[in-house]
Amino acid sequence: MTTFFAELSGMLTDPFMRRSLTAAIIVGLTAPVMGTYLVQRKLSLLGDGIGHIALTGVAVGWLVGSTMGLVKSDALAIPGAVVAAVLGSVAIELVRERGRTSGDVALALMFYGGIAGGVLIIGIAGGTNANLMSYLFGSISTVTITDLWLTIGLGAIILLVGVGLSSALFSVSHDEDFARASGLPVRGLNIAIAIIAALTVTVSMRVVGLLLVSALMIIPVAVAQLVTTSFRRTMMVAVGIGVAVCVVGLSITYWLPQSPGAMIVVLAIALYAVVAALRPLVVRRRTESRDPHPDILDDVTLDQGAPRCSA
């Protein structure tokens, strides 16, 4: 036990782990907030599409950095990912709104175009496909102080919009026609959701990677939906789950040589499997113990095994 606490103290006092845990907590807070709206809008795969577009932005940032002769060629990779993700998410929202093509076709274009563009541009920039791996699967060991402050700033924006405008964003996500009839700026709110989704993807990029970020946005929400019934409570529970799996997954990989992003996603999936398996038992027990008419006195009493009507 003493050894465990000594190891835990060492982890918490390690500057690298403090930066990593801070980034993981921010990702755990922000990803489920945005994921709640995407699940409500039945756009669970949007995060994947934006992630692929962000990969092209990473490669463009790398190219610009190389052209400018920066010491670190990837110094502009994250800003490039932010710009590309925002532009891509807004474009797909406008395409969806105007109905020129179906949502799944637009997402497919983002999937394939993002990957192909990233691979081609990184080659032009003088890099290799291996340079993209840390962005695809996450590389929290590469998080710098600058990256951390950028993550904190983007995370604050996501929470400010996602939580501060929750009522309006829920209305648009649940029923656009009703929101429009209520006088809400539907187009503006839809674009806001798209932009915040793009920022969420880029915030989570270093921790879980572009290929796994959608899982962290959706799985905690799916778990929360198994145990809650209201939108607000679902978001709160999902955020708690997101923070928990991020911190626990990252802590495990401090001792085990495994990918933090993969470990976090596997923990989230395992939690979903456990909750889904236990939920029928809990629901059945609640149903059996619930009085269907709690406000009405029972009109039958038992006396030595024989029923007798009460006066």
Side-chain angles (χ1 to χ4, degrees):
M1 183 64 70
T2 303
T3 305
F4 170 76
F5 282 113
E7 290 285 342
L8 183 62
S9 175
M11 182 185 74
L12 295 177
T13 55
D14 185 346
F16 157 71
M17 281 303 297
R18 284 205 298 264
R19 289 200 306 269
S20 301
L21 284 171
T22 302
I25 290 172
I26 295 171
V27 171
L29 285 171
T30 56
V33 169
M34 195 61 243
T36 307
Y37 296 112
L38 296 185
V39 171
Q40 186 69 33
R41 293 165 65 90
K42 295 180 173 58
L43 290 174
S44 299
L45 293 178
L46 181 62
D48 273 334
I50 296 175
H52 286 70
I53 287 293
L55 186 65
T56 296
V58 168
V60 171
W62 197 296
L63 177 61
V64 173
S66 299
T67 303
M68 295 175 61
L70 299 181
V71 176
K72 292 183 63 178
S73 298
D74 63 342
L76 299 178
I78 293 182
V82 172
V83 173
V86 169
L87 293 177
S89 61
V90 171
I92 195 172
E93 173 57 34
L94 294 177
V95 169
R96 185 195 67 84
E97 179 186 283
R98 296 179 181 180
R100 292 184 178 178
T101 185
S102 59
D104 58 339
V105 172
L107 282 175
L109 292 174
M110 294 181 73
F111 269 66
Y112 308 136
I115 287 288
V119 171
L120 287 177
I121 295 173
I122 197 68
I124 296 173
T128 64
N129 294 342
N131 297 128
L132 298 177
M133 295 300 290
S134 63
Y135 298 96
L136 285 172
F137 297 100
S139 180
I140 201 166
S141 61
T142 62
V143 175
T144 64
I145 293 295
T146 302
D147 293 339
L148 182 60
W149 280 112
L150 182 59
T151 300
I152 292 173
L154 294 177
I157 295 173
I158 294 168
L159 292 177
L160 182 64
V161 176
V163 177
L165 299 178
S166 59
S167 297
L169 295 179
F170 169 75
S171 298
V172 172
S173 301
H174 182 67
D175 190 337
E176 283 193 11
D177 293 332
F178 175 79
R180 190 173 288 106
S182 301
L184 292 175
V186 173
R187 170 178 286 185
L189 291 172
N190 280 333
I191 292 178
I193 292 176
I195 293 175
I196 296 304
L199 295 181
T200 304
V201 168
T202 53
V203 162
S204 308
M205 180 173 60
R206 286 294 200 186
V207 177
V208 295
L210 294 172
L211 291 183
L212 299 176
V213 61
S214 186
L216 192 57
M217 295 169 71
I218 302 305
I219 296 175
V221 179
V223 177
Q225 287 183 329
L226 294 175
V227 297
T228 61
T229 55
S230 70
F231 178 83
R232 190 177 299 274
R233 190 169 299 175
T234 295
M235 181 180 290
M236 293 174 60
V237 173
V239 167
I241 293 171
V243 172
V245 296
C246 283
V247 171
V248 173
L250 180 61
S251 300
I252 291 175
T253 57
Y254 178 76
W255 289 285
L256 299 179
Q258 300 294 332
S259 167
M263 180 64 70
I264 289 169
V265 173
V266 167
L267 286 178
I269 293 174
L271 180 61
Y272 178 86
V274 171
V275 174
L278 295 178
R279 183 175 180 272
L281 301 177
V282 175
V283 172
R284 187 182 302 115
R285 182 172 300 177
R286 287 180 179 176
T287 303
E288 292 174 352
S289 62
R290 186 182 302 156
D291 187 344
H293 303 291
D295 55 334
I296 301 177
L297 296 176
D298 293 337
D299 59 351
V300 176
T301 60
L302 298 179
D303 184 12
Q304 296 180 353
R308 176 173 61 87
C309 293
S310 58

